[in-house]
Every structure is written in C-alpha cells, then in structure tokens.
Amino acid sequence: MPQNCLYCQNKAALDALMIKIADLEVSTLYLFKEQTHPGRCVVAFKDHVGQQFEIPEDEYIRFMLDVRKTAKAIDKAFHPAKINFGAYSDTLKHAHWHIVPKYEGGPEWGGTFEMNPKKTYLTEEEYASIIEKIKAQL
C-alpha cells in the first residue's frame, strides 16, 4: 500500500478535502468539503486498487451498488436535476467515484464539473446538516 495514497495512508490530506460519512458494503463514503455542487460526495473502494478493472468482479459489482446507493441518497436528499459521475485517477491511484449533483442554472450546468474549484466551503454545522440529510437516505 503506497504511503502517499490519499485514501490509505494520508489522513491529514484526506481530512483537508473530505469528511467521512459512512462505511458502505465495500467502500467508504465521504462528503467533499468543496461544495460548489451541494451534496457532492466521493465513494472510495475499501482496498488499495489503482484501476477499477483490477477490482475482483464480485466486489466491483458491490462497489457499483455502493455508488448507486450514494447517488440515490443524494437524489432523495437534494433533488438535483442531474447527477454526474467522475472516475478520474491520473495522479491518485486508488479506485473511487465522484458523485456530483448538478442543478439547472447552477455552476457548470451543461458542462463537465471542475474537480476542485476551491470556491465554496461551509461551516461545520452546514457540513453536519448535509451529512445527516445523506445518512437519512442511505
């Protein structure tokens, strides 16, 4: 397991970017602290696997069910017009999905979401409120 992996070893960097919401069947659900897209989350596979196709098939199916469960919870909690999914891992070699709710007329509507625009950060109370709304729908 690489020492520089955000999800496996680099807790300080992970905590700067995300807040753990819950352990799912084969993954961990995080709230992305940058909330340009309200309700944006990341689902990270439980083990260090660099490419999604390297996950054993039975676990990959369960991983995708975790992603689906997360998207459904976000949809119920926040009612976005669309949910975008992103699995970008050029430099971070750990299988994960970004679950990004998009709102008609909102930022980047009709386009690709920016990975980390560094524009919208919330109070601890606001993060807690979002997390509770998501948890209530899991």
Side-chain angles (χ1 to χ4, degrees):
M1 179 176 334
Q3 288 188 351
N4 63 346
C5 176
L6 180 72
Y7 297 103
C8 297
Q9 298 290 324
N10 199 342
K11 182 159 174 33
L14 181 66
D15 289 346
L17 289 173
M18 301 176 213
I19 302 167
K20 182 177 176 180
I21 296 175
D23 290 316
L24 302 175
E25 188 173 349
V26 296
S27 60
T28 304
L29 173 59
Y30 298 95
L31 181 70
F32 202 69
K33 284 186 177 179
E34 204 295 324
Q35 285 286 296
T36 292
H37 302 283
R40 180 178 176 178
C41 290
V42 172
V43 179
F45 189 65
K46 65 180 175 72
D47 296 325
H48 185 79
V49 176
Q51 299 280 355
Q52 296 208 21
F53 60 79
E54 296 172 338
I55 299 171
E57 188 171 328
D58 64 320
E59 288 189 310
Y60 187 74
I61 291 167
R62 295 189 340 236
F63 181 42
M64 293 311 300
L65 289 172
D66 284 350
V67 169
R68 180 177 183 254
K69 181 178 186 175
T70 297
K72 287 175 78 172
I74 290 169
D75 187 61
K76 288 178 186 175
F78 300 102
H79 311 288
K82 183 75 170 132
I83 295 179
N84 287 189
F85 299 82
Y88 311 115
S89 299
D90 292 346
T91 58
L92 175 57
K93 295 177 176 22
H94 187 113
H96 65 284
W97 283 92
H98 292 263
I99 315 301
V100 185
K102 300 281 283 293
Y103 302 88
E104 209 164 336
E108 301 162 337
W109 178 253
T112 305
F113 65 90
E114 188 176 347
M115 186 56 61
N116 190 0
K118 298 181 181 177
K119 294 177 184 173
T120 306
Y121 293 92
L122 309 175
T123 66
E124 295 303 315
E125 293 78 19
E126 290 169 320
Y127 288 129
S129 175
I130 291 172
I131 288 169
E132 286 311 308
K133 286 177 184 173
I134 293 169
K135 279 184 169 182
Q137 301 301 328
L138 286 176

